[in-house]
Amino acid sequence: MNLKAIKSDVTEVETGAVVVNLFEGVTKPSGATGAIDRALGGQLTQMIADGELTGSLGETRVVHTAGRLPARRVAVIGLGKREGLDLEAVRRAVGTATRQLLATGITEWHTVLHGGGSLKKTTPRDLAETIAEATMMGAYRWDRFKTTTGPTGDGRPVPKLEEVTVVEADGRKLPQIRRGLDRGSKIAEAVNYTRDLGNSPPNEMTPAALADHARKLGDQHAMEVEVLTVEDLKQQGMGGILGVGQGSHNLPRLIIVRYDRGRPSAKPTVIVGKAVTFDAGGISIKPSRHLEEMKFDKMGGCAVLGILKAAALLGLKQSLIGVIPAVENLPSAAAYRPGDILESYSGKTIEVINTDAEGRLILADGLAWASEQNPREIIDIATLTGACMVALGETAAGVFGDERAVSKFVEAGARTGDRAWALPLYDEFSENMRSEVADIKNAGGHWGGASNAAAFLKFFVDDAVQWTHIDIAGNAYVTKPRHYEPLGATGAGVRLVIEYLTSR
Ligand code: BES
Ligand code: MN
Ligand code: ZN
């Protein structure tokens, strides 16, 4: 897929579709849309008058030009109310339009920089970045396993997006626009890489397979990759990872990826990601409804690889260490049980109350290891609790921990649309996790489950180190496509953490 920018006019480009926009409530389009309307003899004005074109956010109307313009078609995308316009509205409108144009079989189009006239404080560079990001994220489709032999014939390969060209009349803006397109497409590439890893089925994407992907990533971007196997984990005393992984034929791994482009003296930021390649709950087995979705329980770890890929593509001058405990959580004769007591890497003991609270057990080892790396700060990212999803729905991650970092994450979430929302970590939540027989237990009471889990993690982080926990259980995947998020893994956390790292 190719993204470029040219100096031209929308009425002059020869293309599959020229994409312009409309605000809600406008009865007579102006600007680029107005020029197109005039060339079409007022057809768009007519459609608005007849209620067939409203400009509501996400609306996409495609009309054929029948030779009245060099473009074969005109696509009008709705941007919603002018007062409500922000970069996320542009991102969503462009994402929705991209999915719709592709579904119609259109694989090449020209577009204006939507919203440029109204978003006065936004640079053409930022707009171009947003449009590149939304186009590539919206065009994503996970169809690696689709063949032509499906029972309904729907295995036909859906056309892939070929080329999108930004049309700008003011040639002085082109260098800026090109820089924005470049940055946006690099970020989207990392997000789509994360989605590819995440969508891969659990029979293929085992802990060992994820480690192979990390090695490949390391080869591509000159990052050092270290993979601990069961033998190493035993030697290190990583009792959390070993406990969760012991019931599964696919053995656990601890994946460590070093991205080292900071100043020689720079302390590393350690990013820990939960990668449960399939979470059946173990002996505390989950109900079978929606169980197939638990292949997405590896999204925290996949996001860590995506963050490192984005850092490399963007050339971030920082020192980062990705740490990914990777396990499968299955019930079996060899599985760990409720009542078991595990000795974590920190030396602290954990009473297992529920084998389905496995993510925190593997993160306990990862966080204690991270604390030893003389870190600048620690960030962890995990599909950790259903409770976080109950609290925030499918539209935001929950963030916990260092208050200043948390508010920076909330701001980074608002800027990127990869949202984050602060949840509390009061002492009461730590009290909920107190065990009568070990140092801590892995499941507290029913209420405040997302905060209880965060309080458990906090117990394994060095108090002197700044730490933020990001729970992406709600937004790591979608079961219905929306705006720039096609079905499946969303890549949540990649844009959020990259924005945080570049703006802190
Ligand atoms: N992986 C799940 C959390 C989850 C739920 C992620 C839904 C994505 C969507 C996690 O391992 C889990 O099972 N958590 C339990 C914890 C409980 C047993 C204390 C939960 O949230 O119910
Ligand atoms: Mn679980
Ligand atoms: Zn889990």
Side-chain angles (χ1 to χ4, degrees), residues 45-64:
T45 303
Q46 196 75 63
M47 285 173 74
I48 296 169
D50 290 351
E52 289 166 41
L53 184 62
T54 68
S56 67
L57 185 62
E59 179 187 66
T60 308
R61 292 277 173 272
V62 180
V63 297
H64 274 263

Side-chain angles (χ1 to χ4, degrees), residues 70-140:
R72 195 168 168 77
R73 308 172 188 83
V74 167
V76 186
I77 71 173
L79 293 181
K81 297 210 166 64
R82 195 187 294 270
E83 313 83 69
L85 187 74
D86 58 12
L87 284 181
E88 178 63 1
V90 174
R91 216 177 266 119
R92 291 183 176 203
V94 169
T96 305
T98 299
R99 288 192 294 110
Q100 199 167 317
L101 292 173
L102 277 176
T104 315
I106 305 168
T107 58
E108 176 272 321
W109 58 82
H110 284 51
T111 179
V112 297
L113 275 191
H114 303 291
S118 304
L119 290 168
K120 293 290 180 224
K121 276 178 258 163
T122 307
T123 61
R125 181 184 182 281
D126 285 342
L127 260 185
E129 176 180 329
T130 299
I131 288 168
E133 208 175 74
T135 303
M136 283 180 63
M137 288 175 67
Y140 176 86

Side-chain angles (χ1 to χ4, degrees), residues 360 380 384-392 398-401 421-434 440-459 467 469-471 473:
R360 60 197 74 180
D380 80 71
L384 202 63
T385 66
C388 188
M389 201 169 181
V390 171
L392 300 175
V399 273
F400 308 76
W421 201 252
L423 291 174
L425 231 181
Y426 307 127
D427 289 343
E428 285 91 326
F429 297 115
S430 297
E431 283 157 29
N432 288 343
M433 307 310 287
R434 190 175 290 157
I440 194 168
K441 59 184 178 185
N442 80 330
H446 175 69
W447 304 112
S451 293
N452 286 340
F456 178 94
L457 298 181
K458 183 184 158 80
F459 190 60
W467 161 72
H469 160 57
I470 308 172
D471 191 335

Side-chain angles (χ1 to χ4, degrees), residues 27 60 93 101 161 181 190 192 212 222 278 343-344 399 417 434 454 459 483 492:
T27 52
T60 308
L101 292 173
L161 182 53
L181 292 180
N192 289 344
D212 288 341
F278 187 73
E343 185 178 343
S344 69
V399 273
R434 190 175 290 157
F459 190 60
H483 44 79

Side-chain angles (χ1 to χ4, degrees), residues 403-413 415 500 503-504:
E403 274 181 37
R404 279 185 43 214
V406 165
S407 58
K408 284 187 182 150
F409 271 105
V410 173
E411 285 164 20
R415 280 197 299 276
Y500 171 81
S503 67
R504 67 183 167 174

Side-chain angles (χ1 to χ4, degrees), residues 52-388:
E52 289 166 41
L53 184 62
T54 68
S56 67
L57 185 62
E59 179 187 66
T60 308
R61 292 277 173 272
V62 180
V63 297
H64 274 263
T65 59
R68 290 168 295 176
L69 280 168
R72 195 168 168 77
R73 308 172 188 83
V74 167
V76 186
I77 71 173
L79 293 181
K81 297 210 166 64
R82 195 187 294 270
E83 313 83 69
L85 187 74
D86 58 12
L87 284 181
E88 178 63 1
V90 174
R91 216 177 266 119
R92 291 183 176 203
V94 169
T96 305
T98 299
R99 288 192 294 110
Q100 199 167 317
L101 292 173
L102 277 176
T104 315
I106 305 168
T107 58
E108 176 272 321
W109 58 82
H110 284 51
T111 179
V112 297
L113 275 191
H114 303 291
S118 304
L119 290 168
K120 293 290 180 224
K121 276 178 258 163
T122 307
T123 61
R125 181 184 182 281
D126 285 342
L127 260 185
E129 176 180 329
T130 299
I131 288 168
E133 208 175 74
T135 303
M136 283 180 63
M137 288 175 67
Y140 176 86
R141 207 181 124 95
W142 190 67
D143 54 8
R144 189 156 59 84
F145 285 88
K146 276 273 186 197
T147 75
T148 48
T149 56
T152 55
D154 66 350
R156 269 177 300 119
V158 165
K160 291 270 186 243
L161 182 53
E162 282 163 25
E163 186 168 86
V164 174
T165 308
V166 173
V167 183
E168 171 57 53
D170 182 352
R172 290 166 305 180
K173 290 184 184 165
L174 285 179
Q176 276 199 68
I177 291 173
R178 290 189 179 120
R179 273 198 293 279
L181 292 180
D182 181 62
R183 184 177 157 87
S185 60
K186 283 172 172 162
I187 292 171
E189 183 184 340
V191 169
N192 289 344
Y193 164 77
T194 306
R195 290 170 169 182
D196 272 341
L197 293 175
N199 286 326
S200 296
N203 57 333
E204 175 186 284
M205 197 56 79
T206 58
L210 190 63
D212 288 341
H213 280 278
R215 283 198 194 91
K216 201 157 132 199
L217 181 73
D219 288 345
Q220 280 165 356
H221 299 288
M223 296 189 256
E224 198 188 304
V225 179
E226 194 183 335
V227 177
L228 307 196
T229 60
V230 167
E231 279 312 300
D232 308 315
L233 293 168
K234 279 184 182 154
Q235 209 180 354
Q236 296 290 318
M238 301 245 177
I241 300 172
L242 288 167
V244 176
Q246 75 186 39
S248 183
H249 171 75
N250 293 309
L251 297 172
R253 298 284 188 277
L254 180 68
I255 306 163
I256 300 164
V257 187
R258 291 187 165 84
Y259 174 85
D260 201 2
R261 319 268 144 105
R263 278 174 284 104
S265 60
K267 291 177 166 187
T269 297
V270 187
I271 313 172
V272 186
K274 166 183 174 181
V276 176
T277 59
F278 187 73
D279 182 13
I283 296 297
S284 315
I285 194 166
K286 287 181 184 294
S288 55
R289 225 172 94 89
H290 302 308
L291 195 49
E292 72 285 357
E293 292 174 15
M294 281 302 113
K295 72 169 180 175
F296 295 119
D297 210 21
K298 59 184 179 297
M299 291 318 304
C302 298
V304 169
L305 293 181
I307 290 161
L308 293 171
K309 186 177 185 70
L313 290 172
L314 297 171
L316 238 65
K317 298 266 179 293
Q318 298 193 18
S319 167
L320 308 173
I321 304 179
V323 184
I324 305 165
V327 299
E328 203 173 38
N329 188 26
L330 296 181
S332 86
Y336 82 130
R337 325 146 187 79
D340 282 1
I341 295 180
L342 306 177
E343 185 178 343
S344 69
Y345 180 66
S346 62
K348 293 173 178 168
T349 57
I350 306 166
E351 180 190 7
V352 177
I353 299 295
N354 190 319
T355 63
D356 198 13
E358 84 298 339
R360 60 197 74 180
L361 298 174
I362 66 170
L363 289 172
D365 286 346
L367 289 167
W369 185 89
S371 297
E372 287 178 346
Q373 310 306 308
N374 186 27
R376 169 176 175 182
E377 65 174 296
I378 299 174
I379 299 163
D380 80 71
I381 178 160
T383 48
L384 202 63
T385 66
C388 188

